[in-house]
Amino acid sequence: MKIGLLQYDVKWLDVKTNFKTIEFYLSSCDDKPNIIFLPEMFDTGYIMEPHKIQNFNPEYSILEMTRLAGKYKVILAGSIPNKVGENYYNSFFYVNGKGIIGQYDKVHLFSLAGESQHYTSGKQPKDIEIANIKIRPQVCYDLRFPYSSYNNSGYDILAFVANWPKPRISQWQALLEARAIENQAYVIGVNRIGLDANGYEYNGHSMVADYTGTVVLDCQDKEGLFTININLEEMNKYRLKLPFLQDQIKTAF
């Protein structure tokens, strides 16, 4: 499977410009990945008061994801501010050319930034199966809580999308590697670059660690669509050789 990580400067509350950036990179890529992962709240930026967004319309973002996925024959995956009834969620969607094929609502809300005051927490982690490959989606702050990544389902890929600030980027890298080692799975982390409207700086370092914790792709601080092939057959051989996951104790999740 070929995966893509799209790291870019998310323009604050400028949904149309952000989708133009996404389409630019999709149109410029000759060898399309099967799945392209986008940062957390890739359409608006990490907004804590979604009720203040003029003409708030998560349906538009889903329709644009669907359009681009169909046009370029890929699956797009990333989180957006989402509203269900009276509640707002930080929802991680997987979308193909026909629409939504998977959804995860962020469980761990970042109270330090006020996320828990304005968003509703998802109920629990869950896996999404795409082409017989099991992926567990997670969003940013979830990375600090290893029990939500606990590989009690035999998933193949653990995918994080984030707005992870520059001052703590070394922790981002260390935690992604740790999640790969303890879960014997490929771990994908997609972060943004640039400044947001609150003055927070992001320097990317989107990356892929393999099932041994070895970093096989580091996007550094550059904007672009980065691709890599992952070898699930070799991962499964490694798990059979070193069956650590068989000795784990089941958790609540």
Side-chain angles (χ1 to χ4, degrees):
M1 170 179 274
K2 175 172 281 191
I3 60 171
L5 289 68
L6 182 46
Q7 176 172 283
Y8 64 99
D9 184 358
V10 179
K11 302 305 179 186
W12 191 254
L13 302 184
D14 192 345
V15 176
K16 291 186 178 179
T17 294
N18 290 322
F19 272 105
K20 285 181 181 178
T21 299
I22 294 167
E23 182 157 21
F24 169 78
Y25 284 108
L26 285 173
S27 64
S28 304
C29 182
D30 293 328
D31 188 13
K32 297 289 186 302
N34 303 100
I35 305 176
I36 296 176
F37 291 91
L38 308 168
E40 178 183 23
M41 295 194 187
F42 67 86
D43 57 342
T44 62
Y46 188 54
I47 177 72
M48 288 300 93
E49 297 182 302
H51 60 282
K52 292 186 178 180
I53 301 176
Q54 291 186 348
N55 302 316
F56 179 75
N57 186 10
E59 292 82 4
Y60 174 83
S61 292
I62 295 299
L63 286 172
E64 277 296 283
M65 291 178 77
T66 303
R67 180 183 70 84
L68 293 177
K71 181 176 180 179
Y72 296 100
K73 296 180 174 56
V74 298
I75 293 170
L76 293 177
S79 95
I80 64 172
N82 185 35
K83 188 177 183 182
V84 180
E86 296 302 313
N87 296 323
Y88 292 92
Y89 295 87
N90 187 341
S91 297
F92 189 160
F93 288 106
Y94 285 72
V95 176
N96 66 13
K98 295 182 180 179
I100 297 168
I101 57 174
Q103 177 180 344
Y104 160 71
D105 298 324
K106 185 178 182 182
V107 168
H108 299 95
L109 302 179
F110 190 40
S111 58
L112 189 63
E115 187 176 18
S116 58
Q117 297 175 30
H118 302 287
Y119 289 86
T120 299
S121 174
K123 293 182 179 179
Q124 64 181 26
K126 63 180 181 179
D127 300 333
I128 293 168
E129 193 164 312
I130 298 173
N132 296 318
I133 295 172
K134 194 177 289 186
I135 304 172
R136 180 165 298 180
Q138 300 269 272
V139 181
C140 201
Y141 196 42
D142 288 329
L143 179 57
R144 290 189 176 274
F145 304 93
Y147 53 82
S148 66
S149 301
Y150 197 75
N151 195 358
N152 51 9
S153 64
Y155 65 71
D156 305 296
I157 298 170
L158 178 62
F160 292 90
V161 297
N163 275 210
W164 199 282
K166 183 178 179 180
R168 296 188 291 278
I169 202 65
S170 63
Q171 297 175 15
W172 161 258
Q173 294 170 303
L175 290 169
L176 288 170
E177 291 175 39
R179 297 295 87 83
I181 293 168
E182 65 198 13
N183 292 298
Q184 294 185 304
Y186 278 95
V187 173
I188 299 163
V190 183
N191 194 25
R192 63 162 291 177
I193 59 173
L195 287 171
D196 69 14
N198 298 308
Y200 293 109
E201 183 179 2
Y202 305 88
N203 65 335
H205 287 276
S206 300
M207 57 180 275
V208 178
D210 74 7
Y211 45 88
T212 71
T214 302
V215 176
V216 291
L217 174 66
D218 186 342
C219 305
Q220 301 291 321
D221 59 356
K222 306 301 182 185
E223 179 165 306
L225 174 57
F226 302 83
T227 63
I228 187 170
N229 286 301
I230 61 173
N231 192 327
L232 298 179
E233 183 178 351
E234 289 301 314
M235 181 190 74
N236 289 326
K237 288 179 182 178
Y238 180 81
R239 288 179 176 179
L240 288 172
K241 181 180 180 181
L242 298 169
F244 302 140
L245 295 176
Q246 293 181 13
D247 296 329
Q248 64 188 348
I249 297 172
K250 302 302 180 184
T251 67
F253 280 152

